[in-house]
Amino acid sequence: MAVSMSKPPRSEITTPQALSEEEGAELSLRPQRLQEFVGQPKVKESLKIAIDAALQRREPLDHVLLHGPPGLGKTTLSMLMAREMGVNIKVTSGPVLEKPGDLVRELTGLRHGDILFIDEIHRLRPIIEEFLYPAMEDYRIDVRLSDGPNAQMISMPIEPFTLVGATTRFGLLTPPMRARFGIVQRLDYYPVDQLAFIVERSAEILGVEATQEGSFEIARRSRGTPRVANRLLRRVRDYAQVRADGIISTEVADRALEMLDVDQYGLDEMDTRVLRALIEQFDGGPVGLSTLAVAIGEDSGTIEEVYEPFLIQNGFLMRTPRGRVATSQAYRRFGYAPPVEGGGGDRQGSLFGR
């Protein structure tokens, strides 16, 4: 009887966002110590120095802000910081904290030196953000005893703690919020060799045999993102188990990833739709983000946060003051002749002349 592999939705194959059903699998693959964390050497060194200094002074770690594209290890780093400091960590997110009472519950449950991790901190409501300022600076919170113009306020001390904020939209944080973080670090996309090392380590944990070449093939299609690399590894492992001899070689990885529509550049179906729309519908651009979003039927925020950073860093797309533009590399990728240098004006002229 033939065995068929179920194919996850395209948007879930290469998305750098965390998927709820993968939470257990991700936890098993996370490093247990900061020194085991692969990549981001400058960030890791800076955090290690800050942690060692705080431990020597027996003080809480300074507030930390981690920013960069999703899937690069911001949550993992926060957990490793707590482990290195020997403290507990509470994990929440900006959208979850709807009213001050939600934050009071989190803050009053912290012990000396504990870490409060807020993911998507740029999505905090203004009232929550203002409530957080005295907690970060003076380790106190102002609690309203009742409602109305004559409501009484009491100031309640809390234990000194460390706030670790994570964001994919650094520019959306207000200047007062940014100023209250003593340590600000950006995480960047991973080079292929570091991703290949992560794939080899994860394969060992999962108990699957992978050649160096097979690990490299998965890594180079992983969009510079460890989360995507581990997800692709699990899908290729399934393919190797069902359709091959259980060993992930270059050929097995290539066949599995081709079946998942992940090409040699790591481009997936949505990337292809973005670039083809730019080239085929808008003569390569420039075109506004909202217009592009309507053309491909995707949310403009998702395009800007999830797909564009990878396409820009890999030279397929440019942002200009007038809109998005497909590069010569994008034209060649889909078999089109790149536009003649300086031909943008001619292309625009032909549009008006139709």
Side-chain angles (χ1 to χ4, degrees):
M1 182 176 64
V3 180
S4 62
M5 291 177 59
S6 62
K7 189 172 175 181
R10 282 294 321 116
S11 60
E12 294 187 359
I13 297 291
T14 55
T15 176
Q17 304 288 354
L19 302 176
S20 57
E21 61 269 24
E22 293 182 337
E23 187 174 343
E26 279 199 357
L27 284 174
S28 67
L29 298 178
R30 281 177 177 164
Q32 300 302 306
R33 306 296 301 182
L34 187 60
Q35 65 183 13
E36 298 174 7
F37 187 89
V38 178
Q40 313 293 341
K42 292 183 178 179
V43 175
K44 190 163 66 172
E45 182 181 12
S46 176
L47 291 177
K48 179 62 176 172
I49 291 173
I51 289 169
D52 289 345
L55 287 172
Q56 289 179 16
R57 294 192 302 266
R58 298 183 179 181
E59 295 176 356
L61 185 65
D62 204 351
H63 301 305
V64 181
L65 179 63
L66 303 173
H67 64 101
L72 300 185
K74 293 185 285 293
T75 303
T76 299
L77 277 174
S78 69
M79 293 181 174
L80 293 177
M81 280 186 267
R83 188 161 293 161
E84 296 289 328
M85 291 291 297
V87 299
N88 296 317
I89 181 171
K90 283 194 170 185
V91 178
T92 186
S93 68
V96 170
L97 301 172
E98 296 182 347
K99 54 186 184 297
D102 298 331
L103 191 57
V104 169
R105 182 174 60 251
E106 299 290 351
L107 292 172
T108 54
L110 297 174
R111 292 185 292 185
H112 189 279
D114 281 355
I115 290 177
L116 175 63
F117 176 71
I118 302 181
D119 198 10
E120 298 183 271
I121 196 169
H122 63 275
R123 295 179 63 184
L124 283 177
R125 297 176 59 192
I127 187 173
I128 303 294
E129 190 173 312
E130 293 176 7
F131 189 85
L132 195 54
Y133 292 159
M136 295 175 69
E137 290 185 323
D138 306 321
Y139 304 121
R140 65 174 178 83
I141 51 177
D142 297 322
V143 179
R144 185 187 296 270
L145 297 180
S146 60
D147 295 325
N150 299 319
Q152 286 186 318
M153 300 280 291
I154 61 169
S155 184
M156 177 187 303
I158 58 174
E159 292 285 353
F161 73 103
T162 297
L163 175 66
V164 178
T167 178
T168 57
R169 305 289 298 275
F170 182 75
L172 294 185
L173 284 176
T174 62
M177 175 58 82
R178 290 199 301 263
R180 284 169 168 80
F181 288 96
I183 302 170
V184 179
Q185 295 290 333
R186 173 178 170 79
L187 277 65
D188 293 309
Y189 287 111
Y190 283 62
V192 175
D193 60 334
Q194 291 180 0
L195 281 176
F197 185 86
I198 291 173
V199 171
E200 290 176 10
R201 175 185 176 275
S202 297
E204 185 176 344
I205 294 173
L206 293 172
V208 59
E209 185 177 346
T211 66
Q212 285 188 338
E213 295 78 12
S215 298
F216 186 86
E217 188 65 26
I218 295 173
R220 77 187 186 99
R221 303 193 192 195
S222 298
R223 306 168 68 87
T225 307
R227 179 177 289 148
V228 175
N230 285 329
R231 183 181 300 126
L232 293 182
L233 170 64
R234 292 194 295 271
R235 301 287 72 78
V236 174
R237 174 195 59 178
D238 295 344
Y239 181 93
Q241 178 183 334
V242 174
R243 298 284 178 85
D245 56 4
I247 300 174
I248 298 177
S249 62
T250 305
E251 294 74 21
V252 169
D254 180 67
R255 292 200 302 268
L257 294 171
E258 183 179 350
M259 189 191 72
L260 294 170
D261 294 331
V262 180
D263 73 5
Q264 63 268 33
Y265 300 100
L267 299 180
D268 65 10
E269 182 185 28
M270 184 56 71
D271 299 315
T272 300
R273 287 171 61 187
V274 169
L275 296 177
R276 279 192 176 276
L278 272 172
I279 296 170
E280 297 173 0
Q281 295 179 243
F282 302 105
D283 293 337
V287 62
L289 176 61
S290 58
T291 302
L292 181 61
V294 171
I296 65 174
E298 181 57 271
D299 176 67
S300 59
T302 301
I303 294 176
E304 188 173 27
E305 293 182 38
V306 176
Y307 297 102
E308 275 193 353
F310 175 77
L311 294 174
I312 291 171
Q313 290 220 359
N314 286 271
F316 291 102
L317 182 144
M318 292 188 301
R319 285 178 185 164
T320 72
R322 297 173 58 199
R324 274 60 178 173
V325 177
T327 65
S328 297
Q329 182 174 333
Y331 276 82
R332 288 191 292 267
R333 164 64 185 84
F334 297 106
Y336 294 104
V340 178
E341 197 67 32
D346 296 336
R347 230 176 24 247
Q348 188 180 31
S350 67
L351 287 175
F352 287 110
R354 289 175 186 169

